[in-house]
């Protein structure tokens, strides 16, 4: 869901970039109102093919595009700070307004509907809702953890990478958010492509192409890394037979799980084609927040029930850190609208149905074939085994 939302934003930036060359894509196939967002679907399929070619190719492409987008961010900030109008920040926290402006029950946050929070957009309630929506950006850090086995010395390098990346990203997020809202009033921002829209608003058309390329590269890496992380989660599930074991096949040359990668890519492409960007973002974030809650509870549970497990990493200050994380995630997830909760429960029901009909009867852990906490081999082990068979 998150990859689909970012791909939809990528499509809008590409549309704006092509428009600078007087190439205008039809609104019916591109942009937030498209019947089928063709550019978003195409980028997902192309990135799926890159991921299927192996993690080394993916890493090189990701590094190159990351450098381009960092340069673009610096250029945008250098231009933006000279066009900031402090009046655009007044009021810095806009006054609360009724949700949706039309009294639609399904658009109000869960906590507001339950009488536990303010039933409003903007204000403090709006800040919490915005936090819940933008939380999807943190999937990048989650994906770094889920790809730990791809690193040579994860016990040392992964904590350093996670903490330093969180610090850098936090600074850049705040800097870009302050700059873009200072350049253009928040009520006039283009939600799908705010950066290039703000540059146009201040007459910096010459920078639209440069920053547009950086934004396109940046969003491309986000989609690619989201697909990479989810494919590795599905790979682990198929190794345990929570999903059919057929998906756990790893190509002997590229050492990539091509079957699960292509299956995932096609599913994401389909969802992107049929769902708008707002629904994709909210559904992706409610799933992510819920999974983080489950992980935090799991850390506490395993620390007490299986103290003997070999651990590559140890969460400090348990159970304080997991408890605080759970409370913050609950606060954010409670500020997502009722319609998102309804869709999420339907999505969860489908997942539980798959588990009850397939996963529970086939899982190696559930059936006792594999001890809980053990891992049925790494991607490299599987690749080497497939190579020996060949």
């Amino acid at each position: 869901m998150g990859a689909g939302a970012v791909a939809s934003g990528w499509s809008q930036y590409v549309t704006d970039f092509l428009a600078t060359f007087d190439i205008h894509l039809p609104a019916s196939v591109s942009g937030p109102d498209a019947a089928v967002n063709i550019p978003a679907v195409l980028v997902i399929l192309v990135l799926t093919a890159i991921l299927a070619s192996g993690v080394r190719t993916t890493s090189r492409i990701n590094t190159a595009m990351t450098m381009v987008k960092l340069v673009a961010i610096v250029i945008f900030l250098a231009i933006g700070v000279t066009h900031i109008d402090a009046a655009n920040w007044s009021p810095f926290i806009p006054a609360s307004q009724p949700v949706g402006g039309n009294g639609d029950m399904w658009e109000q946050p869960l906590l507001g509907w339950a009488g536990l929070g303010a039933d409003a957009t903007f204000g403090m309630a709006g800040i919490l809702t915005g936090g819940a929506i933008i939380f999807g950006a943190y999937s990048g850090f989650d994906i770094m953890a889920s790809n730990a086995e791809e690193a040579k010395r994860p016990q040392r390098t992964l904590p350093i990478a996670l903490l330093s990346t969180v610090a850098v990203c936090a600074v850049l997020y705040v800097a870009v958010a302050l700059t873009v809202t200072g350049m253009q009033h928040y009520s006039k921002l283009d939600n799908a492509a705010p950066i290039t829209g703000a540059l146009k608003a201040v007459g910096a058309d010459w920078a639209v192409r440069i920053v547009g390329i950086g934004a396109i590269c940046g969003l491309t890496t986000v989609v690619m890394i989201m697909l990479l992380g989810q494919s590795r989660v599905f790979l682990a599930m198929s190794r345990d037979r929570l999903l059919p074991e057929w998906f756990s096949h790893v190509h002997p040359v590229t050492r990539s799980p091509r079957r699960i990668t292509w299956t995932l890519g096609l599913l994401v492409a389909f969802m992107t084609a049929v769902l708008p960007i707002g629904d994709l973002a909210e559904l992706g974030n409610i799933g992510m927040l819920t999974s983080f809650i489950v992980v935090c509870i799991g850390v506490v549970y395993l620390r007490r029930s299986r103290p003997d497990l070999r651990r590559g990493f140890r969460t400090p200050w348990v159970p304080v850190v997991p408890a605080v994380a759970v409370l913050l995630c609950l606060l954010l997830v409670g500020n997502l609208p009722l319609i998102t909760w309804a869709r999420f429960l339907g999505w969860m029901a489908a997942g539980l149905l798959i588990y009850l009909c397939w996963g529970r009867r086939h899982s190696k852990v559930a059936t006792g074939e594999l001890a809980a906490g053990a891992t049925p081999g790494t991607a490299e082990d599987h690749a080497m085994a497939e190579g020996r068979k060949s």
Side-chain angles (χ1 to χ4, degrees):
M1 294 291 183
V6 177
S8 295
W10 179 94
S11 174
Q12 186 61 49
Y13 273 102
V14 169
T15 301
D16 289 351
F17 179 75
L18 293 177
T20 64
F21 296 94
D22 204 27
I23 301 174
H24 301 280
L25 298 179
S28 59
V29 298
S30 175
D33 300 321
V36 177
N37 199 328
I38 300 298
V41 171
L42 288 177
V43 73
I44 289 170
L45 295 178
V46 170
L47 292 177
T48 300
I50 292 173
L51 290 171
S53 66
V55 72
R56 288 188 178 180
T57 302
T58 302
S59 178
R60 290 171 185 150
I61 293 174
N62 180 62
T63 301
M65 288 194 290
T66 297
M67 295 304 298
V68 172
K69 73 178 178 182
L70 287 175
V71 171
I73 289 173
V74 172
I75 293 174
F76 168 73
L77 292 175
I79 297 170
V81 293
T82 63
H83 291 88
I84 289 177
D85 182 358
N88 289 329
W89 290 336
S90 182
F92 195 73
I93 300 178
S96 297
Q97 298 178 14
V99 173
N102 56 7
D104 186 354
M105 181 192 74
W106 290 104
E107 293 300 325
Q108 63 181 314
L110 176 67
L111 290 178
W113 173 79
L116 300 176
D119 181 13
T121 56
F122 304 116
M124 291 306 299
I127 290 175
L128 290 173
T129 301
I133 293 174
I134 202 172
F135 194 82
Y138 280 79
S139 64
F141 310 123
D142 174 43
I143 290 163
M144 290 171 69
S146 65
N147 285 276
E149 72 176 54
E150 308 284 357
K152 292 181 179 179
R153 298 173 61 193
Q155 286 81 2
R156 179 181 181 276
T157 57
L158 195 61
I160 295 173
L162 279 167
L163 293 173
S164 59
T165 305
V166 168
V168 171
C169 287
V171 172
L172 291 178
Y173 261 96
V174 172
V176 171
L178 288 173
T179 302
V180 74
T181 52
M183 294 169 66
Q184 188 177 23
H185 196 265
Y186 72 90
S187 62
K188 299 179 181 178
L189 285 174
D190 181 346
N191 287 335
I195 305 299
T196 52
L199 288 170
K200 291 179 183 177
V202 298
D205 293 338
W206 63 270
V208 170
R209 292 180 183 177
I210 299 174
V211 176
I213 291 174
I216 291 168
C217 288
L219 294 178
T220 301
T221 60
V222 173
V223 177
M224 182 166 62
I225 296 304
M226 282 184 166
L227 292 173
L228 174 65
Q230 187 61 63
S231 68
R232 291 329 189 247
V233 172
F234 282 161
L235 174 62
M237 292 172 68
S238 65
R239 287 176 185 165
D240 182 53
R241 294 202 298 256
L242 281 168
L243 293 175
E245 207 168 10
W246 180 84
F247 288 117
S248 64
H249 171 80
V250 175
H251 194 274
V253 177
T254 65
R255 296 186 176 183
S256 64
R258 288 188 173 184
R259 293 173 181 173
I260 198 66
T261 299
W262 274 108
T263 302
L264 174 67
L266 293 173
L267 286 172
V268 174
F270 172 75
M271 290 187 291
T272 306
V274 300
L275 292 174
I277 184 172
D279 292 345
L280 287 166
E282 290 177 353
L283 281 168
N285 290 342
I286 193 172
M288 194 180 310
L289 284 162
T290 305
S291 70
F292 283 4
I293 291 171
V294 172
V295 168
C296 291
I297 294 173
V299 167
V300 177
Y301 174 77
L302 285 175
R303 188 67 63 87
R304 293 180 177 275
S305 65
R306 294 298 305 276
D308 57 307
L309 283 180
R310 178 181 175 273
R311 290 170 167 84
F313 310 95
R314 285 183 67 88
T315 303
W317 305 312
V318 173
V320 176
V321 169
V324 172
V326 168
L327 290 174
L328 292 175
C329 287
L330 286 174
L331 181 63
L332 290 175
V333 80
N335 279 277
L336 288 171
L338 281 177
I339 185 63
T340 302
W341 275 92
R343 291 167 175 162
F344 173 67
L345 292 176
W347 170 18
M348 284 292 293
L352 287 172
L353 186 63
I354 293 173
Y355 173 73
L356 293 173
C357 295
W358 173 273
R360 187 174 63 173
R361 293 185 296 148
H362 293 83
S363 167
K364 293 180 180 179
V365 173
T367 59
E369 184 176 336
L370 183 72
T375 55
T378 63
E380 186 176 14
D381 294 335
H382 283 262
M384 292 175 64
E386 293 295 334
R388 285 194 294 269
K389 290 179 184 177
S390 299

